[in-house]
Amino acid sequence: MPQPVMERAEPRSVGGIEVEVMQFDRPFEPTDELDPEYRDLVLRLLRVQADLESYLLFEDYLHPLLMTAPTPSEKMRYAQLYAEEFNHAYQFWKMLADLGVVLAKDDFAHRSSQYVFSDGYVIGTQDWTEVAVINTLTDRVGVYELAEWKTSSYGPMRRVAPQQVQDEKGHTALGYQNLKKICATSEGKERANALLVKWWPAALDMFGRSDSKRQWSYIKWGLRSETNGELRQRYIAETRPLLENIGLDVPDDSANRHFL
Ligand SMILES: [Fe+2]
Ligand SMILES: [Fe+2]
């Protein structure tokens, strides 16, 4: 197959900065000769998602969460979510492997507290209320990030995006339904409010720094279309009212943040 034909498109202006944008006559495939900068960006994007999910192939952090589900029907529905996350885990692992990067358990050894799926965050989760908060907030971040992949210039990302977005929409809806039920009691609401102090900033941090230099390269190469800050602002505008509607106190958007 001939290489994709690249040409310069209209530059995009974001916050006063003019961003170079390329367009292509077809998406890139792993079998194409990839520009080294492009290949590096694809690997970085995949590695971020793999850190959230492919770690599941080596460490089963979801099983303890499944066991906190209080009723048979909630366990059954969570088990479906669990299977869907395993499928995502494998898809990210496979996309990296097709580019020659075969992740093994040791590749996750660098994990630190800034990663949402590390000690102190998902691992170490004790109760069903925290599971509901995690699914409501972090799976919703996935909806925003993966929706960007639907128009990606990288073919394999484009192909997995529609189903993954659908799955993550289901996970966040399930989390919200569980959280709403929990917030019907004052003790439940109190526990959920305490958890938001940790999870609201963690979810906002997941979008990355607003002044990240790399986001312009992603946009230039057609791997993303919105900036970290734009995605985060849309997320806040949609999610804050949902939480407030069930009586929760949402922390200030700048409190306890690592990446602004
Ligand atoms: Fe997922
Ligand atoms: Fe999910």
Side-chain angles (χ1 to χ4, degrees):
M1 208 179 348
Q3 288 286 302
V5 177
M6 290 201 292
E7 53 185 39
R8 264 175 226 285
E10 278 292 299
R12 243 198 95 189
S13 169
V14 185
I17 301 172
E18 201 157 276
V19 188
E20 191 190 358
V21 182
M22 308 294 284
Q23 63 187 20
F24 314 95
D25 65 340
R26 68 162 172 86
F28 287 94
E29 294 299 329
T31 46
D32 288 322
E33 214 175 282
L34 303 176
D35 180 285
E37 187 193 353
Y38 183 78
R39 185 176 185 276
D40 179 62
L41 291 167
V42 169
L43 288 176
R44 279 174 189 276
L45 265 186
L46 286 172
R47 195 66 176 84
V48 169
Q49 294 303 325
D51 248 287
L52 296 175
E53 290 183 326
S54 299
Y55 190 40
L56 258 188
L57 301 173
F58 306 100
E59 191 83 62
D60 186 4
Y61 50 81
L62 289 186
H63 192 244
L65 308 194
L66 169 65
M67 287 299 117
T68 66
T71 66
S73 76
E74 285 157 330
K75 262 198 189 69
M76 176 275 293
R77 183 59 189 92
Y78 198 85
Q80 288 173 339
L81 175 154
Y82 190 100
E84 286 164 3
E85 295 298 11
F86 257 91
N87 183 37
H88 303 170
Y90 176 69
Q91 288 179 331
F92 296 129
W93 182 89
K94 176 76 167 56
M95 280 189 269
L96 281 162
D98 288 345
L99 287 169
V101 178
V102 181
L103 289 182
K105 190 173 181 180
D106 283 353
D107 293 309
F108 296 90
H110 70 282
R111 305 172 67 75
S112 68
S113 59
Q114 76 187 52
Y115 285 91
V116 164
F117 282 61
S118 59
D119 290 347
Y121 280 91
V122 171
I123 297 167
T125 292
Q126 303 286 329
D127 66 35
W128 185 237
T129 304
E130 188 156 15
V131 175
V133 169
I134 292 169
N135 290 138
T136 303
L137 297 183
T138 71
D139 293 76
R140 188 178 289 271
V141 172
V143 173
Y144 281 79
E145 292 190 330
L146 294 162
E148 291 268 279
W149 290 22
K150 286 185 179 178
T151 53
S152 174
S153 60
Y154 192 58
M157 287 176 168
R158 239 177 142 106
R159 287 190 287 277
V160 299
Q163 185 61 54
Q164 287 209 15
V165 169
Q166 180 99 338
D167 292 345
E168 298 304 349
K169 279 185 177 169
H171 303 171
T172 187
L174 176 70
Y176 187 63
Q177 182 189 313
N178 295 335
L179 191 56
K180 196 173 172 181
K181 199 166 145 190
I182 289 163
C183 287
T185 70
S186 56
E187 309 83 71
K189 199 180 283 178
E190 199 179 313
R191 169 84 180 128
N193 273 329
L195 288 162
L196 280 184
V197 172
K198 166 168 124 182
W199 283 103
W200 181 250
L204 300 188
D205 278 343
M206 284 173 79
F207 289 96
R209 293 182 194 281
S210 296
D211 65 355
S212 150
K213 293 234 166 43
R214 203 167 288 126
Q215 63 188 336
W216 307 122
S217 308
Y218 288 134
I219 292 173
K220 169 187 158 187
W221 284 103
L223 290 163
R224 297 260 309 263
S225 53
E226 286 192 80
T227 63
N228 294 343
E230 287 172 322
L231 289 177
R232 179 165 31 238
Q233 285 314 313
R234 283 207 291 118
Y235 174 92
I236 292 171
E238 182 197 38
T239 315
R240 175 176 277 282
L242 285 176
L243 298 171
E244 288 172 349
N245 282 347
I246 51 173
L248 290 170
D249 301 322
V250 185
D252 188 272
D253 298 336
S254 58
N256 295 319
R257 297 277 305 283
H258 291 91
F259 310 116
L260 283 170

